[in-house]
Amino acid sequence: MSMRLNKFLSSCGIASRRKCEEIILAGRVSVNGKVVSNLSTVVNEKSDKVEVDGNAVKLPSQFFYLKMNKPKGYACTASDERGRKTIFDLVENKDVRLFNVGRLDYDTEGLILLTNDGEFANIVTHPKYHFEKEYIVTAEGEVKEGDLAVLRKGVVIDGERMPTARVKLLGYDGKWSKVSVVIDEGQNHQVRRMFEAIGKDIKLLKRVRIGEVHLGGLYRGRTKPMTEKEIAFFKKGI
Ligand code: URA
């Protein structure tokens, strides 16, 4: 199959299409031994030899799409500079080089997707597609209607308004409140910062859904393949 060079590189998991264009323009990519800087270059995945910084890059022979229930205390990185456990310690099949689609904080648990399809990862994480992410927050004390209103409007942190959120109180047992928070952008530590802004400590933060993909009853620390329908949900988004 032939495709644009930036799409090819992104599918190989090099970076997003935009970043791949920068890599091409920087003269780091060669096709059949010749450096190319033309962004409309088309390559054939079977017959062309593509290299980035002198290293051959190839499309995986098979794409894998997994969902994981990440436990608290695992880093979303291939190798943690502080030597902490990573989510890849939990993946049984170590023969395929997978990467995580977006991130969850070290102390956040719940749904994270893993794949070796760079294009898929770009689609799921690209802000322009606005895929919803739903979190269940267990926060200390009572989260009142006024707090929810502030979260809905978008809290202001250091003069910057955080994106609006759909929030719903699921329950309060006299000590802890459970709140469903749905956002469609993913700024760093967004949910934690939102709750910090309303003065509530988070005891547990758990992601339960991305788009139409639900965590469901997947056990903590386990992975399972995404269904065709789940994969198609994201692919049809483009
Ligand atoms: N928001 C956060 O604050 N942390 C996460 O891990 C995910 C969303």
Side-chain angles (χ1 to χ4, degrees), residues 9-148:
L9 294 173
S10 145
S11 300
C12 296
I14 300 295
S16 69
R17 281 197 208 182
R18 271 277 295 288
K19 283 251 158 58
C20 287
E21 289 187 348
E22 288 169 19
I23 294 173
I24 297 167
L25 290 174
R28 293 170 53 194
V29 181
S30 67
V31 178
N32 302 323
K34 282 208 184 87
V35 172
V36 289
S37 51
N38 184 343
L39 294 179
S40 47
T41 304
V42 169
V43 289
N44 182 296
E45 66 178 69
K46 294 233 162 65
S47 53
D48 288 321
K49 186 174 175 220
V50 180
E51 291 172 305
V52 177
D53 299 329
N55 301 311
V57 286
K58 280 203 176 84
L59 276 184
S61 53
Q62 193 187 350
F63 286 128
F64 292 89
Y65 307 90
L66 301 179
K67 50 188 202 175
M68 171 184 278
N69 184 353
K70 173 196 174 299
K72 214 173 150 158
Y74 284 80
C76 283
T77 172
S79 90
D80 187 62
E81 76 278 2
R82 288 195 257 163
R84 300 175 301 184
K85 286 181 288 190
T86 83
I87 53 171
F88 295 98
D89 295 332
L90 300 166
V91 176
E92 277 169 27
N93 181 354
K94 305 267 195 272
D95 298 338
V96 183
R97 194 191 139 253
L98 297 170
F99 41 88
N100 42 296
V101 179
R103 280 165 191 262
L104 289 176
D105 294 339
Y106 183 74
D107 281 332
T108 302
E109 61 176 56
L111 181 62
I112 180 109
L113 307 181
L114 306 172
T115 186
N116 58 347
D117 180 348
E119 269 292 284
F120 178 80
N122 290 328
I123 294 166
V124 178
T125 52
H126 201 295
K128 85 172 176 202
Y129 298 120
H130 295 287
F131 290 119
E132 285 185 352
K133 289 158 207 91
E134 180 174 359
Y135 297 86
I136 304 295
V137 179
T138 308
E140 192 160 14
E142 186 176 8
V143 174
K144 304 216 171 86
E145 195 41 53
D147 298 318
L148 298 175

Side-chain angles (χ1 to χ4, degrees), residues 159-222:
E160 183 200 343
R161 186 172 292 278
M162 300 295 279
T164 55
R166 277 195 358 249
V167 291
K168 191 165 72 183
L169 182 68
L170 302 176
Y172 172 57
D173 66 3
K175 190 158 188 232
W176 308 103
S177 298
K178 266 203 167 58
V179 184
S180 153
V181 176
V182 179
I183 51 179
D184 67 9
E185 284 184 46
Q187 302 192 3
N188 267 352
H189 315 300
Q190 186 172 328
V191 178
R192 292 181 192 278
R193 290 162 70 201
M194 286 163 62
F195 276 70
E196 202 179 304
I198 59 163
K200 295 284 174 216
D201 280 341
I202 289 186
K203 181 182 161 221
L204 183 66
L205 178 58
K206 178 175 182 172
R207 182 157 67 191
V208 292
R209 179 173 67 83
I210 306 172
E212 286 179 7
V213 179
H214 293 259
L215 182 62
L218 189 58
Y219 287 119
R220 227 181 242 133
R222 302 300 275 270

